[in-house]
Amino acid sequence: MTKKDNAIAMSLQILGGVMIAAFALRALMAIDEFGGGPAFEILLQGVIFGMLLIGFGEVIKLMQGLFNQREPERPVEDPEMARRQALRISSDSSVSIENRNKIMDYYTKKNMVVDDIEATPYDGYAIVHHDGRKDVVDLNNWELEVLSEAQLRKNPELRNLVE
């Protein structure tokens, strides 16, 4: 709810203004019948009740403003930006021992022989050479993930590493 205006507050303020105007007209008609004293009391009642409604509407507007300060703006979701942020450029030109062991364990369980493990320029990704093929491996999650052809098509930077 990031609306800046509030319909309830606006309607209370309008109702307060209408109430002041209505009591003013009523006071003008009461001057002829009852005199100035009672007409002034009618006008005063209208001003007091109208100003209460206008003030209450203003309080609601101020509270809406406080609520809007607390709530962050919703970011525009751009899938292309999210994909590019995921591929952060890495300053490390080698794959860590822990990640190498993770990769070796994964491919050993699949009964594949790893020829070489190569670092990529992107953080959390490695290229694994095995059986005359190249796989791009995602090391960013808890578990190692070999990227499929569909995932590589979505990431042209990673696809270029394999070609």
Side-chain angles (χ1 to χ4, degrees):
M1 183 169 165
T2 57
K3 294 189 301 186
K4 301 292 182 201
D5 57 344
N6 192 309
I8 303 293
M10 184 63 71
S11 62
L12 283 175
Q13 289 180 333
I14 291 171
L15 184 63
V18 168
M19 186 177 279
I20 291 172
F23 271 81
L25 289 174
R26 188 170 167 208
L28 284 176
M29 289 189 286
I31 289 177
D32 293 336
E33 277 186 54
F34 305 110
F40 179 72
E41 287 180 16
I42 292 172
L43 178 67
L44 193 60
Q45 286 176 0
V47 169
I48 290 172
F49 290 135
M51 290 305 292
L52 279 173
L53 285 177
I54 291 172
F56 190 60
E58 187 64 29
V59 167
I60 291 175
K61 275 187 179 179
L62 291 172
M63 289 175 71
Q64 180 71 46
L66 289 173
F67 179 80
N68 289 342
Q69 285 179 353
R70 180 184 60 83
E71 187 171 286
E73 291 291 324
R74 293 183 184 161
V76 177
E77 292 194 22
D78 184 13
E80 181 67 20
M81 283 296 290
R83 183 184 63 78
R84 290 196 183 274
Q85 286 177 349
L87 294 177
R88 294 183 305 270
I89 302 295
S90 174
S91 60
D92 194 11
S93 61
S94 64
V95 179
S96 70
I97 297 295
E98 180 184 336
N99 287 335
R100 282 184 179 276
N101 289 338
K102 220 191 269 188
I103 292 169
M104 292 301 284
D105 289 343
Y106 178 81
Y107 279 95
T108 303
K109 289 177 185 174
K110 299 276 185 182
N111 292 327
M112 296 181 187
V113 177
V114 175
D115 299 327
D116 188 24
I117 299 172
E118 180 183 346
T120 64
Y122 304 109
D123 194 27
Y125 293 93
I127 299 174
V128 178
H129 300 270
H130 68 90
D131 302 326
R133 293 185 56 213
K134 291 182 187 178
D135 286 339
V136 177
V137 178
D138 183 3
L139 301 165
N140 290 316
N141 301 324
W142 287 102
E143 293 182 17
L144 178 132
E145 179 186 4
V146 178
L147 298 181
S148 65
E149 287 296 321
Q151 290 170 321
L152 288 175
R153 266 183 264 152
K154 291 179 184 175
N155 294 314
E157 294 92 353
L158 294 174
R159 187 180 59 221
N160 292 337
L161 295 173
V162 180
E163 294 175 348

